[in-house]
Amino acid sequence: MKKLIIANWKCNPATLKEAQELFHLIKEDIKNKDVVICPPSIFLPFLICDDINFGAQNCFWEKSGAYTGEISPQMIKSIGCEYVIIGHSERRTIFNESNDEIRSKIKQAKRAGLVPIVCIGESKDQNTFEIIEEQIRGVEQDVILAYEPLWAIGTGENASFDKVREVREFLKDRKFLYGGSVNSQNAKDYLEITDGLLIGGASLNAIEFLKIIKTAY
Ligand code: PEP
């Protein structure tokens, strides 16, 4: 199975100019690969180009209407994206997104023809499998799941390979990514036990990100 590498730039960089510069540094090396760049939505129209996959970092659960500030999956699709990250732990914790809202977003994203990348994972004091069971209830089999334990995101404290393997087995035949402090040193080992990686911090450093891409290809 081909490995999928998702770059989640989060709310970075701070300006369009910096986003264009970062993209310029990685562009040629990610063409025609299973790499998806997810910059802030406002930068997408300035970066989208042929032979590279793009995604948004979030979407709304309605197609259109009186929802000030929201961006629908249909809008995301219409500018040339194929993917959308849904339920990232920062959305769940900082913006209080519930599992029900996330399920609605997944439904609308699929309706729009986007591939949802749904983030799941527990905090330190929670039972991994109880939390995941609730997070994936009603989520269809064809959705990509990214296991990102909260304590591993942006901390340098990775989930152990045994833990990731255990979660993968629990999720059986689903397409399964790992995310959480992935870098060029550990990417190869995670790629051996997953279908790909969701990368935050390391995707903002062109040299580091391209090293990870080389590991996968
Ligand atoms: C993420 O943003 O989903 C993520 C995994 O971040 P980082 O790679 O920085 O831990």
Side-chain angles (χ1 to χ4, degrees):
M1 190 185 276
K2 277 194 188 161
K3 306 293 178 179
L4 188 61
I5 309 285
I6 317 281
N8 175 17
W9 288 6
K10 310 193 189 199
C11 191
N12 296 298
T15 64
L16 173 61
K17 187 169 176 285
E18 289 169 278
Q20 286 171 318
E21 283 165 3
L22 172 60
F23 185 63
H24 179 73
L25 292 173
I26 59 173
K27 188 175 171 181
E28 288 311 314
D29 293 293
I30 60 171
K31 275 191 176 162
N32 299 308
K33 294 197 166 92
D34 287 329
V35 175
V36 182
I37 306 297
C38 302
S41 290
I42 195 161
F43 296 154
L44 276 166
F46 299 94
L47 304 179
I48 280 179
C49 57
D50 289 344
D51 306 324
I52 294 179
N53 306 302
F54 284 88
Q57 299 171 12
N58 179 33
C59 67
F60 191 45
W61 57 74
E62 296 288 348
K63 183 177 174 182
S64 60
Y67 307 105
T68 303
E70 292 296 336
I71 300 174
S72 79
Q74 283 77 5
M75 293 168 185
I76 294 165
K77 177 78 179 176
S78 76
I79 62 162
C81 287
E82 296 300 328
Y83 296 83
V84 60
I85 298 172
I86 297 178
H88 190 280
S89 70
E90 286 150 17
R91 304 270 346 147
R92 293 176 187 265
T93 55
I94 304 170
F95 302 100
N96 292 319
E97 280 188 14
S98 69
N99 283 326
D100 281 343
E101 287 169 343
I102 289 162
R103 282 187 266 277
S104 301
K105 290 182 176 200
I106 296 170
K107 245 191 217 151
Q108 192 63 254
K110 289 183 73 177
R111 229 173 258 152
L114 291 173
V115 179
I117 300 151
V118 178
C119 300
I120 56 170
E122 78 288 4
S123 60
K124 269 252 153 86
D125 56 339
Q126 291 174 321
N127 177 287
T128 310
F129 301 103
E130 274 173 27
I131 291 294
I132 290 182
E133 202 144 46
E134 180 55 24
Q135 289 171 334
I136 63 166
R137 193 166 46 79
V139 173
E140 286 163 302
Q141 202 69 23
D142 56 349
V143 164
I144 299 172
L145 298 179
Y147 174 54
E148 302 204 305
L150 270 64
W151 43 268
I153 298 179
T155 59
E157 193 189 342
N158 318 75
S160 71
F161 301 121
D162 282 349
K163 178 78 183 194
V164 174
R165 246 187 242 110
E166 234 185 307
V167 175
R168 175 168 209 153
E169 275 162 28
F170 179 74
L171 294 169
K172 301 202 176 77
D173 300 326
R174 287 176 181 266
K175 190 147 186 174
F176 177 81
L177 313 181
Y178 169 72
S181 299
V182 173
N183 57 37
S184 60
Q185 310 292 307
N186 58 30
K188 187 173 182 294
D189 291 329
Y190 284 116
L191 282 168
E192 271 168 24
I193 54 174
T194 63
D195 301 315
L197 304 169
L198 203 168
I199 300 167
S203 70
L204 294 168
N205 177 324
I207 295 173
E208 180 70 0
F209 185 61
L210 291 179
K211 274 191 198 165
I212 296 173
I213 301 299
K214 267 202 190 134
T215 311
Y217 280 87

